[in-house]
Amino acid sequence: MTAGTRSLPPGRYRFRHVARMEWVKLASLRSTWATLGITIAAAAGIAVLAAAGTKTPSVDLVNSMMTGMFAGVLLAGVLGVLAVTSEYTSGTIRATLAAAPRRPLVLAAKAAVFGIVTLITGQAAACLAFFAGRTALGHGIAAPALGQPGVLRTIAASGASLALIGLLGLGLGAIIRHTAAAVAVLVGVVYVGELFLGQLNRTIDAYLPAYIVGDSLGGHTCRPGAAACPLPAWAGMSVLAAYAAAALLIGGCILAWRDA
């Protein structure tokens, strides 16, 4: 903490002071930078493989290049869980709440810092995946351009989805407080739900996170005879944001009511 922050008595910290502390904690962990680096590398690497394997120009090239974002979404969610549960595991949550007793403020600052970091990472990963994929396209296949309809929207939405799933993981971490359990719930919500809940009731398929990231944000439209139709991109983003907001709200209430 800086000297300006230390001059404030406990309980008098404002949002910017708590956010600065949360940034120091997040940035000081090597796992943070390793995870974010792997996220960017995986997105670019999978985009290159997907583009190199493309044999026909009729394929949705941009959405194919964004396939690697699926790995990043899971990594960001796990990192969000760890951003909260690691403090409970190490016991540092007590020091955090002693310095800043306003618990909802602590979670809000943590979510803001984490959300900004993962949003920047997500946009960087999506942009790198797009340009890396373009260079790997085979001869005779026209590379998509940013100015084409829906391309920039797909890239931006794919990058933002990483931040939203990361915030969902952060909220689940605040609710459950146990790393393994929270990660299991996250994987169940994001991936297993698509495999089982969507199969049980195809009408809810479009509202499941994995389906949204894979189809709605990619700009897919409803195909004739399809069992489930993707939501429009803006609607899919709104659903992901609602999931993250609900998890953070519940996590904030639990943080305020329960002992650390």
Side-chain angles (χ1 to χ4, degrees):
M1 288 182 285
T2 64
T5 303
R6 286 196 301 268
S7 65
L8 291 174
R12 295 295 298 276
Y13 290 143
R14 297 179 181 178
F15 181 83
R16 66 178 182 274
H17 303 123
V18 181
R20 189 180 305 143
M21 290 189 292
E22 292 300 330
W23 163 248
V24 170
K25 286 189 289 186
L26 185 65
S28 63
L29 297 174
R30 285 182 295 179
S31 59
T32 297
W33 303 111
T35 302
L36 297 179
I38 293 172
T39 296
I40 295 175
I46 295 175
V48 168
L49 293 175
T54 300
K55 304 301 181 183
T56 171
S58 63
V59 175
D60 186 349
L61 295 177
V62 178
N63 197 61
S64 178
M65 293 173 187
M66 294 298 109
T67 303
M69 296 300 292
F70 271 101
V73 161
L74 178 59
L75 289 173
V78 172
L79 187 61
V81 169
L82 290 172
V84 178
T85 58
S86 61
E87 289 201 68
Y88 284 96
T89 301
S90 64
T92 56
I93 188 66
R94 296 183 180 89
T96 298
L97 297 180
R102 296 164 62 189
R103 297 185 177 196
L105 180 66
V106 172
L107 186 61
K110 191 182 291 290
V113 171
F114 183 82
I116 291 172
V117 170
T118 50
L119 179 61
I120 294 173
T121 302
Q123 297 302 336
C127 288
L128 183 59
F130 174 75
F131 288 108
R134 288 182 81 237
T135 63
L137 287 171
H139 179 70
I141 299 179
L146 286 175
Q148 292 177 349
V151 172
L152 193 58
R153 178 204 61 205
T154 298
I155 295 172
S158 297
S161 68
L162 189 142
L164 291 174
I165 299 299
L167 290 173
L168 173 62
L170 192 145
L172 290 174
I175 294 170
I176 301 173
R177 302 187 178 190
H178 186 275
T179 301
V183 170
V185 172
L186 174 71
V187 173
V189 169
V190 175
Y191 289 100
V192 179
E194 168 70 12
L195 296 175
F196 293 99
L197 294 180
Q199 298 299 323
L200 293 175
N201 188 345
R202 302 299 297 181
T203 60
I204 68 172
D205 209 13
Y207 297 90
L208 299 176
Y211 192 92
I212 292 173
V213 174
D215 291 284
S216 296
L217 303 187
H220 286 181
T221 57
C222 191
R223 295 180 293 273
C229 294
L231 298 173
W234 64 268
M237 289 292 293
S238 299
V239 172
L240 290 182
Y243 289 153
L248 289 170
L249 179 61
I250 296 172
C253 292
I254 291 175
L255 182 63
W257 293 337
R258 286 170 54 181
D259 292 336

